[in-house]
Amino acid sequence: MRSHEQRVYFFFFFLSSVPFVLSLNSTQKEIMEKLSRSGSVWGDARERNPCAWKGVSCNSDNSSITNLSLSGRSLSDSSFLPLVCEILSLEALDLSDNSFSSVPERFITACGKIDGLKQLNFSKNRLVGSLPAFNGFVGLQSLDFSSNMLSGTIVSQLGSLNDLKRLYLTSNNLSGDVPINLGNPKVLEHLMLSKNSFTGSIPDGLLEYRKLVRIDLSENQLSGHLPGKIGDLSELEELILSSNNLSGEIPMNLSNIQNLSRFAANQNKFTGNIPVGISRSLKNLDLSYNKLGGPIPTDLLTQSNLQTVDLSYNLLEGSIAAKISPNMVRLRLGSNSLDGTIPSELGTLPKLTYLELENNSLSGSIPSELGSCWSLALLNLGMNNLTGSLPLELASLSSLQVLKLQSNKLVGEIPDEISQMQNLSTLNISGNSLSGSIPSSISRWQSLTNLNLQGNRLSGSIPATIDSLTNLLELQLGSNQLNGDIPRMPVSLQIALNLSHNLFRGTIPETLSRLQGLEVLDLSNNKFSGEIPISLTQIGSLTQLLLANNQLSGVIPKFGSYVTINATGNPGLVNTTSQSNSPQRSPGKRKSVAVAVVVAASVAAAFLGIGVAVVIVVSIPRRFYRVANSFHRSNINFTKAMEAIASAHQTLLKTRFSTNYKVVMLFGRSYFIKK
Ligand SMILES: *[C@@H]1O[C@H](CO)[C@@H](O)[C@H](O)[C@H]1NC(C)=O
Ligand SMILES: *[C@@H]1O[C@H](CO)[C@@H](O)[C@H](O)[C@H]1NC(C)=O
Ligand SMILES: *[C@@H]1O[C@H](CO)[C@@H](O)[C@H](O)[C@H]1NC(C)=O
Ligand SMILES: *[C@@H]1O[C@H](CO)[C@@H](O)[C@H](O)[C@H]1NC(C)=O
Ligand SMILES: *[C@@H]1O[C@H](CO)[C@@H](O)[C@H](O)[C@H]1NC(C)=O
Ligand SMILES: *[C@@H]1O[C@H](CO)[C@@H](O)[C@H](O)[C@H]1NC(C)=O
Ligand SMILES: *[C@@H]1O[C@H](CO)[C@@H](O)[C@H](O)[C@H]1NC(C)=O
Ligand SMILES: *[C@@H]1O[C@H](CO)[C@@H](O)[C@H](O)[C@H]1NC(C)=O
Ligand SMILES: *[C@@H]1O[C@H](CO)[C@@H](O)[C@H](O)[C@H]1NC(C)=O
Ligand SMILES: *[C@@H]1O[C@H](CO)[C@@H](O)[C@H](O)[C@H]1NC(C)=O
Ligand SMILES: *[C@@H]1O[C@H](CO)[C@@H](O)[C@H](O)[C@H]1NC(C)=O
Ligand SMILES: *[C@@H]1O[C@H](CO)[C@@H](O)[C@H](O)[C@H]1NC(C)=O
C-alpha cells in the first residue's frame, strides 16, 4: 500500500521537511503531504500553503480544501485517486484531460462517501469499459465523462444520484437505450449524450425529467418518433436530435415550450408538414436533410427571435413569405421545391449574412433590394428559374465573398459595377444567357479565387487585366463566343483554365507555360492552329491537356506519362507516340499527396453556437509536394467548407469521433473536410 502511494506522490510538492504552519485541517495537511512527498510537478515548491497551489482551492478561512484540479497533467496511473477522496471537504474534483484508462473501484467507494462532492470531471481521458456505478455521491450535481471510450449500456449506474443536474457523456461508445434512470426526475437539467451508439426510440421515461433545459441526443442511431409529450418539458431551451434515424412528424406540441431557443433535428427522416408555431421562441432552427413537405408555415420565418434557419434538402413547396425576422443571420432554403419570387423584403434584413435559396423553382428577377443587405457574405441563388438581368445594386454588397447565380435564365451584360465587390472570392454565373463582353474592371476582384462564366453568350476578347487577379485558382470561360488573343493568365491558376467551346483562333500562346501550378488546360473546340508549343510540356502540374477539335498541326510534343492528352479532331496533328509505344502510367498509380489546411471557421462557428475547427484535406494526384504547398497557401474560403459541412449527402464516412465530408470539384478533384 505504502509503495503504491509513493508511486503517485510525484504529482505534488516535496514538502515533508517543512511542516504546514497554516490553519489547514491537520488531516488534510497530512493527505496533501502524502500526495506531495516524492515529486514536484505540481506548482511552486517554495509555497508551503497547499491552498496556494495551482489547482487547489480552499474555503474562506483556508481550513479545508474544496476544489482540486489535476486537469491536463498527462497523468495515466489512476491508482493514487482513492487518496484524494480522503479530503472529505472536497466539493469539486477535476481530473479531465489526462490519460487515465480506468477509475479505481476504491475511488468510487471512497469519494462516494463525500456528501459535499458536487462536481466530478473525468472528461477527455481514455477510460474504457462500462460507466462505473455511482453509489453514494448524494450531493453530486455535475458528472462529466465525455470524450472517453466508454462502452456498454447505462442501466442503473446513475440511478441513485438524486441531486444530479448535469450529465455529460458526449463522445463515447455507449450503446443500448437512452438511459431513463438518472436520479431524481425533478432535478436533471442538462443531458448531453451525443456522439454515442444509443439505439431505440426516445423513451417516454425521459420526458418525466421536467426540469430538463438542454437535451443533446445527436449523432446516435435513434429511431422512431419524437413524442408529442416533449411539449411538457416546459423549461427546455435546447433540443438537439441531429444525425439520427428519427421519423414521423415534428410534434406540434414543441410550440408549447415557452423558452425553446434552439431546435435541431437535421439529418433524420422526419416527414409531414412543419407544424405552425414551432419557431415562436426559437433563435436557431435546423430541419435540413429530412423529408418534410408542404409549405413553409407562414409564421415560421417571421418570429423576431430567429437568427438562423436551415430547411434545405427537404420537399417543401410554395413560396417564401415576405416577412422575415429582422434578426436573421443565416437563411438556408436550398434544394426544396419552392416557387414564386424572391421576396424583395429580404433586402431589409440588416444582419443577413448567408442567404441560400439554390436548387428550387424560384422565378422572377433578382430583387435589386438585395443590394441593401450590407452584411451579406454568401448569396446562392443558383439552379432556379430566375430571369432578368444582374441588378447593378448588387455592386454595393461590399462584404460579399461568394456569389452563385448559376443555372438560371439571366440575360443582359455583366455590369462594370459588380467589380466593386472587393471581397468576392467566388463568382459563379455560369449557365445563363449573359451577353456582351467580360468587363476589364474585373481586375479589381483582388480576392477572387474561382471565376466561372461558362455557358453564356459572352463575346469579345478576354480582358488583358485578367493577369492582375493574383489569387485566381480556377477560370472557367467555356461555351461562350469569346475570341481574340489569349492574354497572359495569372500564374496562381491551379484548378483549371477552361477556354473550350469558344471562337479562339491563332496559335496557342507560349505564355501558358508560365502556369506552373495548372492541372487542367482545356482549349478544345476552338479554332487554334499551328503547332502545340513544346513549352507546354514544362507545366509541372499538368494532368489533363484537352485540345480536341481545333486546327492544330505538327507533332504532339512528348509530355510526361501522367498527362492525359485529348487531341482528337485535329487532322493535321501527327501522333509520334503511336509508334514509340511508350508506357502510359495508369491514373491509379499516381502518387497522391494529402495536405491539411486548417481553417478557423470562427465566424461560422459563432452562428452555429459551437466551436468548430474545420480541417480541409486536399487529396489531389500530385507529383510535387511543392505544388501541394502552394495550395496550402492559397485562399480556401471557410464558406466553401461550411457549405460542405451542411451537406449530408456529402458525408462519406461517419465514425465515432468525426465525420468526413467530400466536396467533389470539377474534374474529379475532391476536398475532404473533417469536422
Ligand atoms: C479535519 O476535518 C475532518 C472532517 O472534514 C474531521 O473529521 C477531522 O477531525 C478534522 N481534523 C482535525 C485535526 O481537526
Ligand atoms: C488562503 O490561502 C490563499 C493562498 O495562499 C491566500 O491567498 C489567502 O490569503 C488565504 N486566506 C486566508 C483567510 O488565510
Ligand atoms: C469550486 O467548485 C464549486 C462547485 O462545487 C464551484 O462553484 C467553484 O466555482 C469552484 N471554485 C473554483 C475556484 O474552481
Ligand atoms: C470538464 O473539463 C473539461 C476540460 O477541462 C471542460 O471543458 C468541461 O467544461 C468540464 N466539465 C464541466 C461540467 O465543467
Ligand atoms: C463501439 O461499440 C460497438 C459495440 O457496441 C463495437 O462494435 C464498436 O467497435 C465500438 N467502436 C469503437 C470505436 O470502439
Ligand atoms: C399537446 O399539448 C396539449 C396542450 O397544449 C395537450 O392537451 C396534449 O395532450 C399534448 N399532446 C401530447 C401528445 O402530449
Ligand atoms: C422563460 O425564461 C424567462 C426569462 O429567462 C423566465 O423568467 C421564465 O421563467 C422562463 N419560463 C419557463 C417556463 O421556464
Ligand atoms: C432507419 O430507420 C429505417 C426505418 O425508418 C430502417 O429501415 C433502417 O434500418 C434504420 N437505419 C438505421 C441505421 O438504424
Ligand atoms: C437539388 O435538390 C434535389 C431535391 O430537391 C436533390 O435531390 C438534389 O441533390 C439537389 N441538387 C444539388 C446539386 O444540390
Ligand atoms: C421555369 O419557368 C418556365 C416558364 O417560364 C416553366 O415552363 C419551367 O417549368 C420552369 N422551370 C422550373 C425548373 O421551375
Ligand atoms: C476527346 O474530346 C472529344 C471532344 O471534346 C470528346 O468527344 C471525346 O470523347 C474525347 N475523347 C476521350 C478519349 O476522352
Ligand atoms: C497517340 O497514340 C497512342 C498509341 O496509339 C495513344 O495511346 C495515345 O493516346 C495517342 N495520343 C494522342 C494525343 O492522341
Short mmCIF file of all heavy atoms in Angstrom, two decimals, residues 436-453:
data_model
loop_
_atom_site.label_atom_id
_atom_site.label_comp_id
_atom_site.label_asym_id
_atom_site.label_seq_id
_atom_site.Cartn_x
_atom_site.Cartn_y
_atom_site.Cartn_z
N GLY A 436 -22.68 40.28 -74.18
CA GLY A 436 -21.71 41.36 -74.06
C GLY A 436 -20.33 40.81 -73.75
O GLY A 436 -20.10 39.60 -73.85
N SER A 437 -19.43 41.69 -73.36
CA SER A 437 -18.06 41.22 -73.13
C SER A 437 -17.76 41.17 -71.63
O SER A 437 -18.52 41.66 -70.81
CB SER A 437 -17.07 42.12 -73.87
OG SER A 437 -17.27 43.45 -73.45
N ILE A 438 -16.63 40.55 -71.32
CA ILE A 438 -16.19 40.48 -69.92
C ILE A 438 -15.59 41.83 -69.56
O ILE A 438 -14.65 42.26 -70.22
CB ILE A 438 -15.14 39.37 -69.75
CG1 ILE A 438 -15.72 38.02 -70.19
CG2 ILE A 438 -14.66 39.30 -68.30
CD1 ILE A 438 -14.70 36.89 -70.25
N PRO A 439 -16.12 42.53 -68.55
CA PRO A 439 -15.61 43.87 -68.26
C PRO A 439 -14.15 43.85 -67.80
O PRO A 439 -13.75 42.95 -67.06
CB PRO A 439 -16.53 44.40 -67.14
CG PRO A 439 -17.31 43.24 -66.65
CD PRO A 439 -17.21 42.13 -67.64
N SER A 440 -13.39 44.82 -68.26
CA SER A 440 -11.97 44.83 -67.89
C SER A 440 -11.78 45.21 -66.43
O SER A 440 -10.74 44.97 -65.84
CB SER A 440 -11.20 45.79 -68.79
OG SER A 440 -11.69 47.10 -68.61
N SER A 441 -12.84 45.76 -65.83
CA SER A 441 -12.74 46.15 -64.42
C SER A 441 -12.67 44.94 -63.48
O SER A 441 -12.46 45.11 -62.28
CB SER A 441 -13.94 47.01 -64.05
OG SER A 441 -15.14 46.30 -64.30
N ILE A 442 -12.80 43.72 -64.01
CA ILE A 442 -12.70 42.54 -63.13
C ILE A 442 -11.39 42.50 -62.38
O ILE A 442 -11.27 41.81 -61.36
CB ILE A 442 -12.88 41.21 -63.90
CG1 ILE A 442 -11.82 41.06 -64.97
CG2 ILE A 442 -14.28 41.09 -64.46
CD1 ILE A 442 -11.78 39.66 -65.57
N SER A 443 -10.41 43.22 -62.85
CA SER A 443 -9.10 43.22 -62.18
C SER A 443 -9.20 43.73 -60.75
O SER A 443 -8.30 43.53 -59.94
CB SER A 443 -8.11 44.07 -62.95
OG SER A 443 -8.61 45.39 -63.04
N ARG A 444 -10.32 44.37 -60.42
CA ARG A 444 -10.47 44.87 -59.05
C ARG A 444 -10.82 43.77 -58.06
O ARG A 444 -10.77 43.98 -56.85
CB ARG A 444 -11.55 45.96 -59.02
CG ARG A 444 -11.09 47.19 -59.80
CD ARG A 444 -12.23 48.12 -60.09
NE ARG A 444 -12.76 48.75 -58.87
CZ ARG A 444 -13.76 49.62 -58.89
NH1 ARG A 444 -14.34 49.94 -60.03
NH2 ARG A 444 -14.20 50.15 -57.78
N TRP A 445 -11.18 42.59 -58.57
CA TRP A 445 -11.51 41.48 -57.66
C TRP A 445 -10.23 40.83 -57.14
O TRP A 445 -9.89 39.72 -57.53
CB TRP A 445 -12.34 40.45 -58.41
CG TRP A 445 -13.78 40.81 -58.57
CD1 TRP A 445 -14.55 41.49 -57.70
CD2 TRP A 445 -14.62 40.46 -59.68
NE1 TRP A 445 -15.83 41.59 -58.20
CE2 TRP A 445 -15.90 40.97 -59.41
CE3 TRP A 445 -14.41 39.77 -60.87
CZ2 TRP A 445 -16.97 40.81 -60.28
CZ3 TRP A 445 -15.47 39.61 -61.73
CH2 TRP A 445 -16.75 40.12 -61.44
N GLN A 446 -9.58 41.52 -56.24
CA GLN A 446 -8.27 41.05 -55.83
C GLN A 446 -8.33 39.80 -54.95
O GLN A 446 -7.32 39.13 -54.76
CB GLN A 446 -7.50 42.17 -55.11
CG GLN A 446 -6.92 43.18 -56.06
CD GLN A 446 -5.93 42.55 -57.04
OE1 GLN A 446 -5.03 41.83 -56.64
NE2 GLN A 446 -6.15 42.79 -58.33
N SER A 447 -9.49 39.46 -54.41
CA SER A 447 -9.59 38.25 -53.58
C SER A 447 -10.14 37.06 -54.36
O SER A 447 -10.29 35.97 -53.81
CB SER A 447 -10.53 38.50 -52.40
OG SER A 447 -10.11 39.62 -51.69
N LEU A 448 -10.45 37.28 -55.62
CA LEU A 448 -11.14 36.24 -56.38
C LEU A 448 -10.29 34.98 -56.56
O LEU A 448 -9.14 35.06 -56.99
CB LEU A 448 -11.54 36.79 -57.75
CG LEU A 448 -12.69 36.06 -58.44
CD1 LEU A 448 -13.98 36.30 -57.67
CD2 LEU A 448 -12.85 36.52 -59.88
N THR A 449 -10.86 33.83 -56.22
CA THR A 449 -10.15 32.56 -56.42
C THR A 449 -10.83 31.72 -57.50
O THR A 449 -10.16 30.97 -58.19
CB THR A 449 -10.09 31.73 -55.12
OG1 THR A 449 -11.41 31.53 -54.63
CG2 THR A 449 -9.25 32.43 -54.06
N ASN A 450 -12.15 31.81 -57.61
CA ASN A 450 -12.87 30.99 -58.58
C ASN A 450 -13.81 31.86 -59.41
O ASN A 450 -14.70 32.49 -58.85
CB ASN A 450 -13.69 29.91 -57.86
CG ASN A 450 -12.84 29.04 -56.96
OD1 ASN A 450 -12.39 29.48 -55.91
ND2 ASN A 450 -12.60 27.81 -57.37
N LEU A 451 -13.60 31.85 -60.69
CA LEU A 451 -14.45 32.62 -61.59
C LEU A 451 -15.02 31.68 -62.63
O LEU A 451 -14.28 31.03 -63.37
CB LEU A 451 -13.63 33.74 -62.26
CG LEU A 451 -14.39 34.61 -63.27
CD1 LEU A 451 -15.58 35.30 -62.63
CD2 LEU A 451 -13.45 35.65 -63.89
N ASN A 452 -16.34 31.60 -62.66
CA ASN A 452 -16.99 30.70 -63.60
C ASN A 452 -18.04 31.46 -64.40
O ASN A 452 -19.09 31.85 -63.88
CB ASN A 452 -17.65 29.54 -62.84
CG ASN A 452 -18.13 28.45 -63.78
OD1 ASN A 452 -18.27 28.68 -64.99
ND2 ASN A 452 -18.38 27.27 -63.24
N LEU A 453 -17.73 31.69 -65.66
CA LEU A 453 -18.64 32.39 -66.57
C LEU A 453 -19.08 31.47 -67.70
O LEU A 453 -19.62 31.90 -68.72
CB LEU A 453 -17.94 33.63 -67.16
CG LEU A 453 -17.35 34.64 -66.17
CD1 LEU A 453 -16.64 35.77 -66.91
CD2 LEU A 453 -18.44 35.21 -65.27
#
